[in-house]
Each structure stands twice: as structure tokens, then as C-alpha cells.
Amino acid sequence: MTTNSPWVETRVTKVGGGVVGDDNIPHDPDGEVFFDQVWGRVQSPDGSQFQVSARACTAPASGCDDWVTFEPLVRAHDVAPHVYFPGDTAIEEGSHYLLAVADHSGGRLYALWQGQATEILSRDATYSDLLSRPGFMTDGVGQLRIVRCRDRSLGSGPLTETMVQPCTDFGISQSIEVDRTLSTFGTVLEPTIGAAAGHVTLRLTTLDPGVHRLSWRVTDEEGNTVANNVTTATTAHVGDGTDVADYVLPLPVGLEQGSYRVEGSASRLTPHGNFFSSLDGEPTFTVDAAEPSSGALTTSRTTLYPTPDGFQDTLKVTLTGQVETWDPVTFEVLNAQGDAVRTEDRTDTTPGEATFVWDGRADDARLVPPGQYRFRVTPHDQAGNPGTPRLGDPVTVSTARLVHKTWSTSRTARATLVASSIGRCSRIRRPASHGWAGSLGLQSAIRCKGTAAARRASTTHEMTLPALPKHPDIARGASRYDTISVTTYGGSSHKRARHTATLRYLTAHGSAAATRVLPADIGYHAGVVENAAALVGRDRAFRWSTYVVNGQRYDLRNFIVTVEYTVLQ
């Protein structure tokens, strides 16, 4: 087409199918002949025919002349380039991705990868290493795509599908994965282990999640291999784009004391293949083969009464030693046959001391049967080395329990009388004015009006309490008198005057204790309930006194002594 216009608009029309492509092409006004390459825009593999038209324009699609249609009809056959993709599907650092293209047609060929483009300049069947091109084929999973564009530059920035749409696809690779930044960092979680540990845990830190296979070996200070194997684990995400996987590396039992190192390589397993990296970091650990020391093993008591009643329900076992940290300390309770009925590891120890409080229960939380038991205690140091087990003295477990009982008895006033004190103006009648058998009548100032001492009439009474059952732990509260009280039957001997008397408890040493004023009415008068501990002597005797002064006259018939006591049975 010959024209002096600055623009030429071309159109390709499929016969019987409408317009399939338009283009506006700038034209040199000084030229006469215009050439438009239409390949790359349409193809007719089905044999379709196309007609090419053109018109001159003063601007793109503006100020245009009439269309000029060219003869004859054409068939569009773009010559496809021959693309040779490598068979590699797992691309890592240090490898190559060699692409070869044989192409003798026009336009520009590009390789596309995840929104990136690079132009293929060598089209004579020689190999181009696409991995060597900066910024191209970054890490990811996808397919490499080859396109031809008609005089269009795709640049090197992010691509959009709109930018690629005018181009023609000529090949897509199989799915490949690129990982050129794989790195793994190893750390031993147990910096110190015992000789009997049998394993160590290696934590692998990586930015690439998935299944990782670790090919490892452990060497001693001389570089000798003491263990090696291949172990697989799946990473877990821990945040900040970091994933970790823990590998339990089996070790021989009984390693010598010293430093050891983990060496090896890791590979990430994917459907596209395996990605390899060396194991970075300083994955070292120390074997501590020294046995922890321990000292004496003691128990707080020799007999345990585990039935819950507040009396020696538990006992404490204590292991002492040098100022050394144990973690843990294993406490075992052994029955008479030597079987462990209770095992507990204590980690809340202090340097040089570990304690265990036993409540008489087995591992199933039930009370153990009565009998003889011993404690076996084994300390472990922080490296896991066990110390020499310590065996304690036998302790007795008893089913006895505290039982609370009541004892009460009545005696006449004369039957309990052990002493009396009568002033010169007073007297004590036997029997009392009411004539009760065994009674006493206290009469103050019956003869004169002298001093207070002369007007005083008093009696002292005593009762021996029943003996408590003998028991090895009686001094520790296994059997005891709890409370005591005295109820008095009596009243005023004067029919018209309402006279009273005074009742006073005496301690085991004879000093005054609780006091109660006895009313004038004839009848039973309850005394104060007191703690028996200070009132009952070693001879089990309990004493109290009664007295009148200032002219009272009071008759006493009998006393009722009530004791609350506890026994172990």
C-alpha cells in the first residue's frame, strides 16, 4: 500500500466470520510503501481464509480514508518455534535451567514465569540458562510459558494478562518448583544429657515448610561417628515466616563424658523432587556421665494412720545431700514384698534437699492395706543420670483411727470429799439439813460474825478418771482427755432465804481455775465445760472445791463428772 499519511490502520477479517484483528501502525510520511506483518495476530489451523484491508489515517483510527481490500484471500500460518524444555522439575541453588529455542520467524520471544518476563535472544537452538538472569525464576511453583509478541516489549516488571493477550503461546513446561534460598539451621534442645539418655532432640529451623528428611551423624571430640541415621519430620509453623521440625536422634546408651556434635544435611521433599541444603548452626551437646550424690533418708514418724481424722494422717520423707540440684527425685513406696505401690517424681526440689509427703495412698488413690512399708528414693541430676537409690527404715501403716467418747459418773458429796476448811464461826453438816444420804451442808457464820476466814466453810472433792487405752503414741495425742465438767445437785438450805454457793475447778497443781455460782433453787446445776488438759493430773485425778461465806447456807447432795475423751482404736 502506498500512502503519505502518518498512520495506517489495518484489519484482518475471517471470511464468513467477521473481524479478527485491527491495528494502527505509524507510517513514515516520506515513505511510499507500507508493510504490515500480520503473523502473531491470527492463525488458521482449520484452513480458514482471511482478507486483509487497510486505510490511511491522519491519526490512529481518525481522519481515515476508505478501506482498501487486498486480493487474493490468505491463510495465516505462523511458523511455530521449536522449544526444548529441560526435564528438571526441582530447581535449587547451584543448578541450571537450560532452555533451547529454534526459531526463524519474526517478532520477539519471551519466557514468562509467575508475572516475570525475560526475552529469549538466542533463537538458533543454543541453550540459555534462565536461572542466570537476575530477578527471573524466583522461588515458587508454576509453569514456564513461551510466547511470541509482534514488536511488543513486555519489559521486566510485573506482567498482567492484558499485556500478554496480543502475544501467541508456543509452549508451556511441566509443573516445576524453584527453591534457590533453602536453608536449615540446627539446634540441640538438650544442651546436656545423661549417659543413659539414649537420644537427643535436634530442632530444625527453616523458612521452607513441608516434609524434611535429615541425614545426620553424631561425632565425638575426636571426630568418631557414634550414631548416624536418616530421620523424617514435618515442620510446624511458629510465626514470623519460620517453621521448625523436631528430630529425635537415637544414641547409644552409655556414651562417655564429653562434647558431641550433630552433622548432616537436610532435604525438603516435594512432589517435584527433593531440595537439599547443608545443616547450619552449632548443633552440639554434652554428655554428663557423673552420678549425682545424695545423703541421709529420713521419715518424720514410724507409724502412719492414714484414715482421715486429723491424727498423723501423713508423714514426710526427706532426702538430704550436698548442695546439688536434683531434677527429678523419684520416691517409691514399697510393700513388704518389695513391690512399688506408689511412685512419684518430685521436681520442686531445693539444692541438697527433696521431700515427699505420703498420705498412705497407692497410685490408684486408694489407701494401702495395713502393714510394713519402706521408701526407696532415687535422685536424678539435670542431665538425667540416676544416683544410688536410698532405702529408708520401715514404717507401719495402721487402720486405727481416733474415736471420740464420753464418760460420765455420779458420786455423793461425801464420797468425793478429800478435804475441808471450816472457820470458827461456820460449820459443815453431815448430812445436810435436807437429810439427803451422803450429803453435806455448808453453813457460814452460824456461830458468830467474825472475819471472812472465820465465816468461810469450804470442801475439796476429787474423782479419778478412767484410764485411757495404752498406746505407743499416747504422748502424741493418740489417747487424750478433751473436756471436763461438773454438774451439782443442791440448793439453799434456808427455806426463806435464797442462799448460793460457789463451785471452783482446780488445776493439776492446785490453783484456781473456772468458777461457777450455784443457784439457790434445789436441783441440778451444770458447771462450766473446760479443757481437761490443765485440770487432770498424771494420776488421772480431777479436783474441785465448793465454799460459802457471808452467812450462806447451802446443801450439796451429789456431783456428776462428765469427760469427753479421744482414743485410737
Side-chain angles (χ1 to χ4, degrees):
M1 178 177 180
T2 303
T3 179
N4 292 324
S5 297
W7 287 88
V8 174
E9 181 178 2
T10 63
R11 170 172 296 175
V12 178
T13 305
K14 183 178 180 180
V15 177
V19 176
V20 296
D22 277 333
D23 202 0
N24 290 280
I25 302 172
H27 177 244
D28 184 0
D30 295 332
E32 295 184 352
V33 181
F34 169 77
F35 297 96
D36 182 19
Q37 300 180 7
V38 298
W39 55 261
R41 292 196 291 167
V42 296
Q43 294 193 66
S44 52
D46 58 351
S48 300
Q49 290 183 313
F50 298 87
Q51 200 166 43
V52 178
S53 303
R55 63 180 179 176
C57 303
T58 59
S62 176
C64 301
D65 297 338
D66 294 334
W67 288 99
V68 176
T69 300
F70 298 94
E71 298 290 346
L73 299 178
V74 298
R75 288 185 173 86
H77 291 286
D78 203 352
V79 179
H82 296 283
V83 181
Y84 303 93
F85 293 103
D88 301 326
T89 58
I91 312 301
E92 59 185 348
E93 184 64 25
S95 60
H96 304 276
Y97 194 81
L98 302 179
L99 178 75
V101 177
D103 180 44
H104 302 287
S105 297
R108 306 172 73 171
L109 287 181
Y110 288 91
L112 309 183
W113 170 259
Q114 295 190 333
Q116 305 162 348
T118 185
E119 187 171 1
I120 302 174
L121 300 176
S122 176
R123 298 161 66 166
D124 56 357
T126 58
Y127 287 98
S128 301
D129 187 1
L130 298 184
L131 292 179
S132 64
R133 302 192 178 189
F136 189 69
M137 290 194 76
T138 54
D139 290 359
V141 178
Q143 292 175 291
L144 194 67
R145 179 179 170 190
I146 306 300
V147 298
R148 173 185 283 151
C149 303
R150 185 178 61 79
D151 200 25
R152 176 185 291 272
S153 174
L154 297 182
S156 58
L159 296 179
T160 64
E161 192 58 34
T162 301
M163 297 171 61
V164 181
Q165 190 172 9
C167 303
T168 305
D169 281 293
F170 282 106
I172 298 179
S173 72
Q174 59 183 321
S175 179
I176 58 178
E177 181 172 356
V178 179
D179 188 350
R180 295 197 280 178
T181 59
L182 178 63
S183 65
T184 53
F185 187 88
T187 305
V188 177
L189 298 185
E190 306 95 342
T192 302
I193 65 172
H199 71 276
V200 72
T201 304
L202 180 76
R203 170 159 290 180
L204 189 76
T205 304
T206 179
L207 299 177
D208 299 273
V211 180
H212 289 254
R213 177 181 296 150
L214 180 67
S215 177
W216 59 271
R217 71 176 186 137
V218 175
T219 59
D220 60 17
E221 295 174 350
E222 287 73 36
N224 301 314
T225 300
V226 299
N228 64 286
N229 209 329
V230 177
T231 308
T232 302
T234 302
T235 61
H237 190 62
V238 294
D240 298 330
T242 302
D243 285 72
V244 299
D246 291 341
Y247 298 84
V248 177
L249 313 183
L251 299 175
V253 175
L255 286 177
E256 296 182 357
Q257 185 154 327
S259 298
Y260 294 80
R261 179 180 178 83
V262 181
E263 302 173 349
S265 61
S267 57
R268 186 168 66 89
L269 311 184
T270 75
H272 300 89
N274 301 339
F275 295 86
F276 298 90
S277 72
S278 60
L279 186 62
D280 298 328
E282 293 291 332
T284 60
F285 62 95
T286 300
V287 173
D288 178 5
E291 177 182 307
S293 61
S294 62
L297 179 64
T298 59
T299 56
S300 59
R301 54 176 54 96
T302 59
T303 305
L304 177 66
Y305 304 91
T307 303
D309 57 8
F311 176 72
Q312 298 186 13
D313 297 339
T314 62
L315 62 80
K316 183 168 71 171
V317 185
T318 303
L319 177 69
T320 58
Q322 299 176 354
V323 182
E324 182 177 358
T325 300
W326 298 318
D327 185 16
V329 176
T330 302
F331 289 84
E332 297 175 283
V333 182
L334 310 179
N335 59 18
Q337 291 73 40
D339 301 323
V341 298
R342 175 78 175 272
T343 301
E344 184 165 332
D345 288 333
R346 300 307 300 264
T347 58
D348 54 343
T349 62
T350 58
E353 182 177 286
T355 59
F356 166 58
V357 177
W358 188 41
D359 56 3
R361 297 182 182 274
D363 286 328
D364 61 2
R366 297 182 181 180
L367 291 175
V368 300
Q372 295 285 312
Y373 293 84
R374 304 184 76 177
F375 294 94
R376 182 172 61 200
V377 183
T378 306
H380 299 78
D381 62 20
Q382 292 184 312
N385 296 309
T388 301
R390 301 292 182 183
L391 194 62
D393 295 329
V395 297
T396 301
V397 175
S398 173
T399 57
R401 61 180 302 169
L402 294 181
V403 178
H404 301 286
K405 294 188 176 184
T406 302
W407 175 85
S408 183
T409 188
S410 177
R411 299 285 191 274
T412 66
R414 291 181 63 181
T416 57
L417 181 66
V418 294
S420 62
S421 176
I422 305 172
R424 64 183 179 83
C425 298
S426 304
R427 69 177 181 180
I428 297 178
R429 290 189 58 174
R430 301 178 180 154
S433 59
H434 282 88
W436 300 322
S439 62
L440 297 173
L442 306 182
Q443 298 182 346
S444 169
I446 196 68
R447 295 188 177 93
C448 59
K449 305 292 185 181
T451 63
R455 299 193 304 270
R456 186 182 182 90
S458 65
T459 58
T460 300
H461 303 265
E462 179 183 287
M463 188 175 294
T464 300
L465 304 184
L468 296 175
K470 291 186 179 296
H471 194 276
D473 292 311
I474 188 170
R476 302 180 183 178
S479 296
R480 63 180 183 269
Y481 300 112
D482 296 321
T483 62
I484 193 166
S485 64
V486 177
T487 299
T488 305
Y489 188 91
S492 175
S493 61
H494 198 285
K495 293 183 179 180
R496 290 188 298 275
R498 297 183 61 79
H499 293 170
T500 61
T502 301
L503 173 74
R504 174 174 291 167
Y505 297 163
L506 303 176
T507 67
H509 304 290
S511 57
T515 299
R516 167 83 156 92
V517 175
L518 301 176
D521 297 333
I522 300 295
Y524 287 101
H525 308 298
V528 180
V529 178
E530 284 290 302
N531 189 323
L535 303 179
V536 180
R538 293 180 178 274
D539 56 357
R540 296 182 282 112
F542 168 58
R543 293 179 176 84
W544 68 96
S545 68
T546 60
Y547 65 89
V548 292
V549 71
N550 299 328
Q552 294 105 321
R553 299 176 186 180
Y554 203 88
D555 290 348
L556 303 170
R557 189 182 76 177
N558 63 289
F559 299 100
I560 301 174
V561 176
T562 303
V563 179
E564 300 284 344
Y565 65 99
T566 299
V567 294
L568 188 68
Q569 66 179 34

PDB file of all heavy atoms in Angstrom, residues 297-299 301-302 315 317 334 372-376 390-396:
ATOM      1  N   LEU A 297      18.389 -40.435 104.327  1.00  0.00           N
ATOM      2  CA  LEU A 297      16.961 -40.533 104.045  1.00  0.00           C
ATOM      3  C   LEU A 297      16.237 -40.706 105.378  1.00  0.00           C
ATOM      4  O   LEU A 297      16.500 -41.667 106.117  1.00  0.00           O
ATOM      5  CB  LEU A 297      16.666 -41.709 103.118  1.00  0.00           C
ATOM      6  CG  LEU A 297      15.194 -41.941 102.769  1.00  0.00           C
ATOM      7  CD1 LEU A 297      14.637 -40.761 101.984  1.00  0.00           C
ATOM      8  CD2 LEU A 297      15.028 -43.228 101.964  1.00  0.00           C
ATOM      9  N   THR A 298      15.347 -39.796 105.712  1.00  0.00           N
ATOM     10  CA  THR A 298      14.649 -39.830 106.992  1.00  0.00           C
ATOM     11  C   THR A 298      13.146 -39.712 106.775  1.00  0.00           C
ATOM     12  O   THR A 298      12.690 -39.198 105.748  1.00  0.00           O
ATOM     13  CB  THR A 298      15.111 -38.681 107.896  1.00  0.00           C
ATOM     14  OG1 THR A 298      14.848 -37.419 107.243  1.00  0.00           O
ATOM     15  CG2 THR A 298      16.598 -38.792 108.200  1.00  0.00           C
ATOM     16  N   THR A 299      12.392 -40.222 107.779  1.00  0.00           N
ATOM     17  CA  THR A 299      10.933 -40.086 107.788  1.00  0.00           C
ATOM     18  C   THR A 299      10.524 -39.374 109.067  1.00  0.00           C
ATOM     19  O   THR A 299      11.184 -39.495 110.102  1.00  0.00           O
ATOM     20  CB  THR A 299      10.234 -41.452 107.705  1.00  0.00           C
ATOM     21  OG1 THR A 299      10.693 -42.284 108.774  1.00  0.00           O
ATOM     22  CG2 THR A 299      10.543 -42.128 106.383  1.00  0.00           C
ATOM     23  N   ARG A 301       7.939 -39.883 110.986  1.00  0.00           N
ATOM     24  CA  ARG A 301       7.374 -40.753 112.021  1.00  0.00           C
ATOM     25  C   ARG A 301       7.491 -42.196 111.562  1.00  0.00           C
ATOM     26  O   ARG A 301       7.735 -42.472 110.388  1.00  0.00           O
ATOM     27  CB  ARG A 301       5.929 -40.386 112.327  1.00  0.00           C
ATOM     28  CG  ARG A 301       5.003 -40.345 111.123  1.00  0.00           C
ATOM     29  CD  ARG A 301       3.562 -40.064 111.548  1.00  0.00           C
ATOM     30  NE  ARG A 301       3.461 -38.880 112.355  1.00  0.00           N
ATOM     31  CZ  ARG A 301       3.151 -37.665 111.908  1.00  0.00           C
ATOM     32  NH1 ARG A 301       2.904 -37.516 110.610  1.00  0.00           N
ATOM     33  NH2 ARG A 301       3.072 -36.627 112.694  1.00  0.00           N
ATOM     34  N   THR A 302       7.310 -43.095 112.492  1.00  0.00           N
ATOM     35  CA  THR A 302       7.440 -44.522 112.191  1.00  0.00           C
ATOM     36  C   THR A 302       6.096 -45.203 112.005  1.00  0.00           C
ATOM     37  O   THR A 302       6.055 -46.343 111.557  1.00  0.00           O
ATOM     38  CB  THR A 302       8.214 -45.229 113.305  1.00  0.00           C
ATOM     39  OG1 THR A 302       7.525 -45.042 114.563  1.00  0.00           O
ATOM     40  CG2 THR A 302       9.632 -44.659 113.421  1.00  0.00           C
ATOM     41  N   LEU A 315       2.917 -38.556 106.548  1.00  0.00           N
ATOM     42  CA  LEU A 315       4.290 -38.491 107.035  1.00  0.00           C
ATOM     43  C   LEU A 315       5.167 -37.924 105.929  1.00  0.00           C
ATOM     44  O   LEU A 315       4.850 -38.034 104.742  1.00  0.00           O
ATOM     45  CB  LEU A 315       4.795 -39.849 107.518  1.00  0.00           C
ATOM     46  CG  LEU A 315       4.891 -41.025 106.539  1.00  0.00           C
ATOM     47  CD1 LEU A 315       6.139 -40.956 105.677  1.00  0.00           C
ATOM     48  CD2 LEU A 315       4.902 -42.335 107.316  1.00  0.00           C
ATOM     49  N   VAL A 317       8.855 -37.690 103.996  1.00  0.00           N
ATOM     50  CA  VAL A 317      10.117 -38.357 103.688  1.00  0.00           C
ATOM     51  C   VAL A 317      11.070 -37.295 103.153  1.00  0.00           C
ATOM     52  O   VAL A 317      10.713 -36.517 102.256  1.00  0.00           O
ATOM     53  CB  VAL A 317       9.925 -39.475 102.654  1.00  0.00           C
ATOM     54  CG1 VAL A 317      11.223 -40.240 102.434  1.00  0.00           C
ATOM     55  CG2 VAL A 317       8.814 -40.418 103.087  1.00  0.00           C
ATOM     56  N   LEU A 334       7.415 -48.980  98.884  1.00  0.00           N
ATOM     57  CA  LEU A 334       7.494 -50.422  98.662  1.00  0.00           C
ATOM     58  C   LEU A 334       6.730 -51.160  99.752  1.00  0.00           C
ATOM     59  O   LEU A 334       6.836 -50.829 100.947  1.00  0.00           O
ATOM     60  CB  LEU A 334       8.959 -50.882  98.668  1.00  0.00           C
ATOM     61  CG  LEU A 334       9.935 -50.101  97.777  1.00  0.00           C
ATOM     62  CD1 LEU A 334      11.345 -50.668  97.918  1.00  0.00           C
ATOM     63  CD2 LEU A 334       9.478 -50.129  96.328  1.00  0.00           C
ATOM     64  N   GLN A 372       3.830 -53.227 106.909  1.00  0.00           N
ATOM     65  CA  GLN A 372       5.131 -52.586 106.883  1.00  0.00           C
ATOM     66  C   GLN A 372       5.453 -52.085 105.472  1.00  0.00           C
ATOM     67  O   GLN A 372       5.250 -52.798 104.492  1.00  0.00           O
ATOM     68  CB  GLN A 372       6.225 -53.570 107.327  1.00  0.00           C
ATOM     69  CG  GLN A 372       6.098 -54.020 108.782  1.00  0.00           C
ATOM     70  CD  GLN A 372       6.546 -52.930 109.745  1.00  0.00           C
ATOM     71  OE1 GLN A 372       7.599 -52.342 109.588  1.00  0.00           O
ATOM     72  NE2 GLN A 372       5.720 -52.666 110.754  1.00  0.00           N
ATOM     73  N   TYR A 373       5.971 -50.870 105.409  1.00  0.00           N
ATOM     74  CA  TYR A 373       6.334 -50.261 104.139  1.00  0.00           C
ATOM     75  C   TYR A 373       7.687 -49.569 104.287  1.00  0.00           C
ATOM     76  O   TYR A 373       8.084 -49.170 105.381  1.00  0.00           O
ATOM     77  CB  TYR A 373       5.278 -49.253 103.675  1.00  0.00           C
ATOM     78  CG  TYR A 373       3.955 -49.896 103.318  1.00  0.00           C
ATOM     79  CD1 TYR A 373       3.005 -50.182 104.301  1.00  0.00           C
ATOM     80  CD2 TYR A 373       3.657 -50.229 102.002  1.00  0.00           C
ATOM     81  CE1 TYR A 373       1.805 -50.794 103.992  1.00  0.00           C
ATOM     82  CE2 TYR A 373       2.446 -50.830 101.680  1.00  0.00           C
ATOM     83  CZ  TYR A 373       1.528 -51.112 102.677  1.00  0.00           C
ATOM     84  OH  TYR A 373       0.338 -51.718 102.362  1.00  0.00           O
ATOM     85  N   ARG A 374       8.385 -49.441 103.133  1.00  0.00           N
ATOM     86  CA  ARG A 374       9.663 -48.748 103.108  1.00  0.00           C
ATOM     87  C   ARG A 374       9.678 -47.781 101.928  1.00  0.00           C
ATOM     88  O   ARG A 374       8.910 -47.934 100.961  1.00  0.00           O
ATOM     89  CB  ARG A 374      10.832 -49.735 103.002  1.00  0.00           C
ATOM     90  CG  ARG A 374      10.861 -50.775 104.088  1.00  0.00           C
ATOM     91  CD  ARG A 374      12.082 -51.671 103.996  1.00  0.00           C
ATOM     92  NE  ARG A 374      13.283 -50.984 104.488  1.00  0.00           N
ATOM     93  CZ  ARG A 374      14.466 -51.572 104.570  1.00  0.00           C
ATOM     94  NH1 ARG A 374      14.631 -52.828 104.154  1.00  0.00           N
ATOM     95  NH2 ARG A 374      15.515 -50.910 105.044  1.00  0.00           N
ATOM     96  N   PHE A 375      10.593 -46.836 102.015  1.00  0.00           N
ATOM     97  CA  PHE A 375      10.725 -45.835 100.962  1.00  0.00           C
ATOM     98  C   PHE A 375      12.061 -46.028 100.253  1.00  0.00           C
ATOM     99  O   PHE A 375      13.103 -46.184 100.894  1.00  0.00           O
ATOM    100  CB  PHE A 375      10.659 -44.419 101.533  1.00  0.00           C
ATOM    101  CG  PHE A 375       9.322 -44.089 102.123  1.00  0.00           C
ATOM    102  CD1 PHE A 375       9.091 -44.267 103.480  1.00  0.00           C
ATOM    103  CD2 PHE A 375       8.301 -43.615 101.328  1.00  0.00           C
ATOM    104  CE1 PHE A 375       7.865 -43.973 104.030  1.00  0.00           C
ATOM    105  CE2 PHE A 375       7.067 -43.320 101.867  1.00  0.00           C
ATOM    106  CZ  PHE A 375       6.842 -43.504 103.220  1.00  0.00           C
ATOM    107  N   ARG A 376      11.992 -46.018  98.913  1.00  0.00           N
ATOM    108  CA  ARG A 376      13.195 -46.055  98.088  1.00  0.00           C
ATOM    109  C   ARG A 376      13.232 -44.762  97.279  1.00  0.00           C
ATOM    110  O   ARG A 376      12.298 -44.464  96.530  1.00  0.00           O
ATOM    111  CB  ARG A 376      13.200 -47.273  97.163  1.00  0.00           C
ATOM    112  CG  ARG A 376      14.481 -47.390  96.307  1.00  0.00           C
ATOM    113  CD  ARG A 376      14.502 -48.729  95.572  1.00  0.00           C
ATOM    114  NE  ARG A 376      13.384 -48.878  94.663  1.00  0.00           N
ATOM    115  CZ  ARG A 376      12.938 -50.053  94.201  1.00  0.00           C
ATOM    116  NH1 ARG A 376      13.535 -51.182  94.585  1.00  0.00           N
ATOM    117  NH2 ARG A 376      11.915 -50.101  93.363  1.00  0.00           N
ATOM    118  N   ARG A 390      18.374 -44.762  97.718  1.00  0.00           N
ATOM    119  CA  ARG A 390      18.438 -44.824  99.176  1.00  0.00           C
ATOM    120  C   ARG A 390      17.196 -45.529  99.696  1.00  0.00           C
ATOM    121  O   ARG A 390      16.084 -45.222  99.269  1.00  0.00           O
ATOM    122  CB  ARG A 390      18.525 -43.421  99.773  1.00  0.00           C
ATOM    123  CG  ARG A 390      19.740 -42.620  99.309  1.00  0.00           C
ATOM    124  CD  ARG A 390      21.019 -43.191  99.835  1.00  0.00           C
ATOM    125  NE  ARG A 390      22.169 -42.399  99.415  1.00  0.00           N
ATOM    126  CZ  ARG A 390      23.415 -42.711  99.699  1.00  0.00           C
ATOM    127  NH1 ARG A 390      23.677 -43.809 100.399  1.00  0.00           N
ATOM    128  NH2 ARG A 390      24.411 -41.948  99.277  1.00  0.00           N
ATOM    129  N   LEU A 391      17.406 -46.483 100.623  1.00  0.00           N
ATOM    130  CA  LEU A 391      16.303 -47.258 101.182  1.00  0.00           C
ATOM    131  C   LEU A 391      16.111 -46.856 102.633  1.00  0.00           C
ATOM    132  O   LEU A 391      17.055 -46.909 103.441  1.00  0.00           O
ATOM    133  CB  LEU A 391      16.598 -48.755 101.075  1.00  0.00           C
ATOM    134  CG  LEU A 391      15.416 -49.707 101.310  1.00  0.00           C
ATOM    135  CD1 LEU A 391      14.334 -49.463 100.252  1.00  0.00           C
ATOM    136  CD2 LEU A 391      15.889 -51.149 101.266  1.00  0.00           C
ATOM    137  N   GLY A 392      14.896 -46.414 102.962  1.00  0.00           N
ATOM    138  CA  GLY A 392      14.609 -45.948 104.308  1.00  0.00           C
ATOM    139  C   GLY A 392      14.216 -47.063 105.252  1.00  0.00           C
ATOM    140  O   GLY A 392      13.991 -48.212 104.856  1.00  0.00           O
ATOM    141  N   ASP A 393      14.126 -46.728 106.558  1.00  0.00           N
ATOM    142  CA  ASP A 393      13.690 -47.680 107.578  1.00  0.00           C
ATOM    143  C   ASP A 393      12.204 -47.977 107.412  1.00  0.00           C
ATOM    144  O   ASP A 393      11.447 -47.160 106.869  1.00  0.00           O
ATOM    145  CB  ASP A 393      13.952 -47.118 108.972  1.00  0.00           C
ATOM    146  CG  ASP A 393      15.442 -46.951 109.244  1.00  0.00           C
ATOM    147  OD1 ASP A 393      16.220 -47.742 108.694  1.00  0.00           O
ATOM    148  OD2 ASP A 393      15.805 -46.027 110.006  1.00  0.00           O
ATOM    149  N   PRO A 394      11.751 -49.148 107.878  1.00  0.00           N
ATOM    150  CA  PRO A 394      10.333 -49.498 107.741  1.00  0.00           C
ATOM    151  C   PRO A 394       9.443 -48.541 108.523  1.00  0.00           C
ATOM    152  O   PRO A 394       9.812 -48.040 109.584  1.00  0.00           O
ATOM    153  CB  PRO A 394      10.261 -50.925 108.305  1.00  0.00           C
ATOM    154  CG  PRO A 394      11.651 -51.435 108.262  1.00  0.00           C
ATOM    155  CD  PRO A 394      12.536 -50.254 108.469  1.00  0.00           C
ATOM    156  N   VAL A 395       8.276 -48.307 107.993  1.00  0.00           N
ATOM    157  CA  VAL A 395       7.223 -47.580 108.690  1.00  0.00           C
ATOM    158  C   VAL A 395       5.988 -48.470 108.707  1.00  0.00           C
ATOM    159  O   VAL A 395       5.796 -49.320 107.835  1.00  0.00           O
ATOM    160  CB  VAL A 395       6.903 -46.230 108.021  1.00  0.00           C
ATOM    161  CG1 VAL A 395       8.106 -45.308 108.052  1.00  0.00           C
ATOM    162  CG2 VAL A 395       6.432 -46.428 106.588  1.00  0.00           C
ATOM    163  N   THR A 396       5.168 -48.285 109.727  1.00  0.00           N
ATOM    164  CA  THR A 396       3.966 -49.095 109.900  1.00  0.00           C
ATOM    165  C   THR A 396       2.744 -48.285 109.488  1.00  0.00           C
ATOM    166  O   THR A 396       2.583 -47.136 109.921  1.00  0.00           O
ATOM    167  CB  THR A 396       3.811 -49.556 111.354  1.00  0.00           C
ATOM    168  OG1 THR A 396       4.963 -50.322 111.713  1.00  0.00           O
ATOM    169  CG2 THR A 396       2.562 -50.407 111.524  1.00  0.00           C
TER     170      THR A 396
END
